[in-house]
Amino acid sequence: MAMSLSVVLCLCLLLCGLCGASARLSSYLSSSGGYSGTSSFMDSDHHHFVPGRSLLGESEHTYKVHEAVPLYANKVGPFPNPSETYQYFDLPFCQPSKGVEHKTEDLGEVLEGDRLVNSAYDVSFRVDKESEALCSKTLNEKDLGKFRQAVKDDYYFQMYYDDLPIWGFIGKTEKILRRGAKPEFRYYLFTHVHFDISYNGDRIIEINVSTDPLRTVDITDGDSATVDFSYSVKWKETTIPYARRMEKYSRHSFLPQHLEIHWFSIINSCVTVLLLTGFLATILMRVLKNDFVKYSREDDAGASDDSEETGWKYIHGDVFRFPASPNLFCAIVGTGTQIFAVSFAIFGLALVGVFYPYNRGALLTACIVLYALTAGIAGYTGGSYYRQMGGTNWVRNVIMTCSLFCGPLLVTFAFLNTVAIAYRSTAALPFGTIVIIIIIWALITFPLTVLGGIAGKNSKTEFYAPVRTTKYPRAVPPLPWYRSTIPQMCMAGFLPFSAIYIELYYIFASVWGHKVYTIYSILFVVFMILLVVTSFITIALTYFQLAVEDHHWWWRSVLCGGSTGFFIYAYTGYYYMFRSDMSGFMQTSFFFGYNLIVCYAFFLMLGTIGFRSSLLFVRHIYRAIKCE
């Protein structure tokens, strides 16, 4: 036992050291910047674009006058569908004279769908250009069809300049209304791009991109067209130091008045939930106090009193009877504990400032690495509980613990990646990236789960039950319908969901939109309230279940605790229908597919929280009474 546990700890410390070095490198190589705006891009609420993330962090590059600074083109895609992105040169833009060259990307960038290539723009340091010709292209019917569909679907493009992201729209749509006739739509392609760049000394501070609405080409009709693409560059000096070039992007993530409303809404929601929780807790404590007094009086009356036991004391011989399907139950508890540990680690990194604004690629990388490194927690927790319940099929326990979350994730990913491949989208992971993820799972996740399971199997911890379990279980009396599992789950999930639903909008707008979430302190407070409310509501329902002499509380506590995940998934449907403009099979599949996995993770984590809270409560109340 000691040797196996030491091996697990040593491996975890070694891998955590590697993870720490990787995280420090990732944080050094990850930052943000850049703000793009055009007249058609920023004038409407629908086209309000918040900058994304930077590519490589606070670059140490300094430049001399006339020195070439590469401008990388990244991807294009419909604005309402953030997951549906394509390579920049899938549209017939002007290609560089030296040919298209792909830039090497790290794991987080690939997971984000980034595919950087060199562009034809020559934007040298502090070199102004009034109107520079980019190229002249004769677009055939196929090329016009691509541009026409892109403008119709509201496509945007994304680029990076000195690690600063910039965006712009491909074109614009005009709606022409005539009396007595149907509306007519005209599609115009932007042919001129203007770059406004600020510098301080020998470093680039900010870049904005805009398009000239007067330089457009009508591509609504016709089978061919000759288009002259051009661009201009204007440099200006600024006093903003390089170290502060990203501060304004943090401020732009939420406007001040929006931030105040955000805080007020969260505080209002939290106070309401905490008042309800306190009210129910007071009632529960009062009822428990009366129960303790009642059972104490019965004990003081002595054995001569033949009064029959009632309520939760009556089932003391069955309440600690192990649940059905202990293998699956222990795997859920182990996996939920691991996800809980990963969540806290992510919050810790976010609160200390590891995740820079607009750097979601680093967050995805951290999730993968932390999940791999915490696999030993799942193996040990599941194995330890399985041993305490008298389990003997250790191989099945380890395999189930390892695949309980990874299995559904693999199936979902395989389907969605196939959809992305069929669409030829950059959201499809390359084969090499898939191999890297499989290697991480095979060399880190699975071995740590096995080692954790061995340590759990060899642990000397015994299951603590303050009362003895009888040989034969008592029959559960008939109960009304509202005390069955599904109604109890609905009641258990509603209160925790009401504590977080306001924050869900901001999270969805960040993950499935173009806003950026930076207020991790609010999110952490909401997360802690979610855990507290989940624990309390599960404890309350467990008490009510035991009070009517239903001793099957083990699985019920998991299902009631994790039921918030079902409410969150129901919210995804509401968000898709009423709060977003997403459309198309690919975007819909990605939205509901990956949200299903996230809600499943919430179910496992909160179900584990519910079970552990109920177990502590049940042990406490039965330890406080005397049972024969």
Side-chain angles (χ1 to χ4, degrees):
M1 159 61 185
M3 180 177 294
S4 59
L5 186 57
S6 300
V7 171
V8 173
L9 291 175
C10 289
L11 281 175
C12 286
L13 288 173
L14 175 61
L15 291 172
C16 284
L18 294 175
C19 179
S22 175
R24 289 190 295 271
L25 179 60
S26 178
S27 65
Y28 172 75
L29 294 178
S30 306
S31 77
S32 67
Y35 183 84
S36 67
T38 72
S39 56
S40 63
F41 198 57
M42 298 293 294
D43 287 346
S44 67
D45 291 337
H46 175 69
H47 285 167
H48 178 67
F49 227 136
V50 179
R53 60 182 181 80
S54 77
L55 181 67
L56 298 176
E58 292 191 358
S59 168
E60 295 301 327
H61 289 176
T62 57
Y63 302 97
K64 299 178 180 179
V65 179
H66 296 285
E67 182 177 351
V69 182
L71 177 64
Y72 290 104
N74 187 17
K75 53 190 177 184
V76 296
F79 181 84
N81 297 343
S83 298
E84 187 181 346
T85 55
Y86 304 94
Q87 296 193 49
Y88 182 80
F89 286 114
D90 284 351
L91 294 178
F93 288 112
C94 300
Q95 296 194 1
S97 57
K98 298 180 180 179
V100 177
E101 299 177 358
H102 290 266
K103 183 176 177 58
T104 304
E105 292 137 349
D106 60 29
L107 178 61
E109 293 166 350
V110 176
L111 293 174
E112 281 292 310
D114 292 337
R115 304 292 186 269
L116 271 75
V117 295
N118 59 323
S119 67
Y121 295 96
D122 180 13
V123 187
S124 300
F125 187 67
R126 294 180 59 179
V127 177
D128 291 341
K129 295 185 178 181
E130 291 297 329
S131 183
E132 188 78 8
L134 192 64
C135 74
S136 180
K137 295 197 67 171
T138 299
L139 303 178
N140 55 29
E141 183 178 1
K142 183 178 179 181
D143 294 338
L144 279 176
K146 289 182 179 181
F147 273 130
R148 191 179 297 126
Q149 190 64 39
V151 174
K152 182 179 180 181
D153 293 340
D154 211 11
Y155 267 49
Y156 69 95
F157 64 83
Q158 184 189 44
M159 297 180 176
Y160 283 99
Y161 185 70
D162 190 41
D163 307 336
L164 301 176
I166 51 178
W167 289 264
F169 279 100
I170 304 298
K172 65 178 181 179
T173 302
E174 288 187 358
K175 184 178 181 180
I176 302 176
L177 299 176
R178 293 187 176 91
R179 185 184 299 273
K182 293 183 178 180
E184 179 184 357
F185 293 92
R186 308 296 297 180
Y187 305 111
Y188 296 90
L189 176 67
F190 293 137
T191 61
H192 183 83
V193 176
H194 175 72
F195 299 98
D196 278 309
I197 310 175
S198 301
Y199 69 94
N200 186 345
D202 55 0
R203 291 189 171 184
I204 299 171
I205 304 300
E206 180 183 351
I207 181 171
N208 300 309
V209 63
S210 59
T211 52
D212 190 346
L214 301 178
R215 300 191 188 186
T216 60
V217 173
D218 189 345
I219 57 173
T220 308
D221 305 311
D223 297 332
S224 63
T226 300
V227 179
D228 296 322
F229 291 95
S230 60
Y231 67 101
S232 56
V233 182
K234 180 65 176 179
W235 290 83
K236 61 180 180 180
E237 190 171 9
T238 181
T239 58
I240 300 175
Y242 180 85
R244 298 179 56 190
R245 71 172 183 168
M246 283 145 26
E247 286 186 0
K248 79 170 206 174
Y249 309 121
S250 297
R251 293 194 300 268
H252 277 83
S253 60
F254 285 103
L255 297 178
Q257 61 270 27
H258 293 168
L259 182 58
E260 293 177 3
I261 295 173
H262 190 191
W263 268 112
F264 178 78
S265 300
I266 292 300
I267 293 174
N268 180 62
S269 176
C270 293
V271 168
T272 303
V273 171
L274 289 179
L275 286 176
L276 290 174
T277 304
F279 178 70
L280 293 176
T282 302
I283 296 177
L284 183 59
M285 291 175 64
R286 190 178 186 87
V287 172
L288 273 176
K289 182 179 180 180
N290 294 334
D291 288 345
F292 288 145
V293 171
K294 173 185 174 183
Y295 294 143
S296 297
R297 289 175 179 173
E298 292 178 357
D299 294 334
D300 294 339
S304 59
D305 191 352
D306 295 331
S307 60
E308 185 178 358
E309 294 178 345
T310 58
W312 52 268
K313 184 181 179 182
Y314 176 69
I315 57 173
H316 65 269
D318 299 283
V319 73
F320 290 105
R321 192 180 305 280
F322 295 132
S325 305
N327 205 331
L328 176 60
F329 186 89
C330 295
I332 290 176
V333 175
T335 306
T337 305
Q338 178 190 6
I339 296 174
F340 176 75
V342 171
S343 301
F344 253 87
I346 291 294
F347 272 115
L349 294 176
L351 292 175
V352 299
V354 171
F355 302 129
Y356 292 94
Y358 326 118
N359 192 15
R360 293 179 294 180
L363 180 60
L364 292 176
T365 303
C367 288
I368 292 176
V369 174
L370 288 173
Y371 182 82
L373 294 179
T374 55
I377 296 176
Y380 179 81
T381 304
S384 178
Y385 272 103
Y386 189 59
R387 191 201 70 80
Q388 295 175 38
M389 294 182 184
T392 57
N393 197 338
W394 302 105
V395 175
R396 177 180 293 182
N397 177 256
V398 169
I399 293 177
M400 186 170 293
T401 301
C402 195
S403 60
L404 188 65
F405 181 73
C406 292
L409 176 61
L410 175 63
V411 173
T412 305
F413 165 76
F415 171 74
L416 296 180
N417 205 58
T418 302
V419 172
I421 292 174
Y423 273 73
R424 301 179 64 87
S425 169
T426 60
L429 293 189
F431 178 75
T433 304
I434 298 175
V435 170
I436 291 174
I437 295 176
I438 293 175
I439 290 175
I440 292 175
W441 184 88
L443 297 184
I444 300 178
T445 305
F446 184 72
L448 285 180
T449 306
V450 173
L451 290 176
I454 294 174
K457 172 188 174 182
N458 295 330
S459 65
K460 302 300 182 182
T461 305
E462 297 294 336
F463 184 81
Y464 170 67
V467 294
R468 290 180 298 176
T469 301
T470 58
K471 186 175 182 180
Y472 300 103
R474 296 177 183 270
V476 177
L479 301 174
W481 65 269
Y482 58 83
R483 290 190 178 276
S484 59
T485 301
I486 294 180
Q488 294 288 296
M489 290 175 62
C490 293
M491 287 187 283
F494 177 77
L495 191 59
F497 173 77
S498 65
I500 65 172
Y501 82 96
I502 293 178
E503 201 66 18
L504 283 178
Y505 168 76
Y506 297 98
I507 297 174
F508 274 61
S510 172
V511 177
W512 299 104
H514 303 287
K515 295 185 180 295
V516 179
Y517 196 96
T518 58
I519 315 174
Y520 297 109
S521 56
I522 295 181
L523 188 60
F524 182 70
V525 171
V526 173
F527 180 72
M528 294 303 298
I529 292 178
L530 172 65
L531 299 182
V532 172
V533 175
T534 299
S535 298
F536 172 77
I537 196 66
T538 309
I539 288 173
L541 291 176
T542 299
Y543 170 78
F544 296 142
Q545 181 181 0
L546 297 178
V548 294
E549 301 175 5
D550 181 1
H551 54 82
H552 298 149
W553 64 272
W554 296 72
W555 276 108
R556 181 75 66 84
S557 65
V558 171
L559 294 175
C560 288
S563 59
T564 306
F566 294 99
F567 281 82
I568 297 175
Y569 196 65
Y571 178 83
T572 63
Y574 165 78
Y575 183 87
Y576 180 87
M577 295 294 296
F578 302 106
R579 305 303 293 269
S580 74
D581 296 320
M582 291 182 283
S583 62
F585 179 73
M586 177 184 168
Q587 180 63 40
T588 303
S589 300
F590 268 63
F591 181 78
F592 286 103
Y594 282 125
N595 277 328
L596 179 62
I597 294 299
V598 172
C599 293
Y600 177 56
F602 264 89
F603 172 82
L604 295 175
M605 180 184 68
L606 296 179
T608 301
I609 297 297
F611 162 69
R612 288 182 176 272
S613 303
S614 297
L615 179 60
L616 291 174
F617 170 76
V618 173
R619 282 174 173 169
H620 172 73
I621 63 175
Y622 282 95
R623 187 170 57 243
I625 64 172
K626 297 179 181 179
C627 298
E628 296 295 334

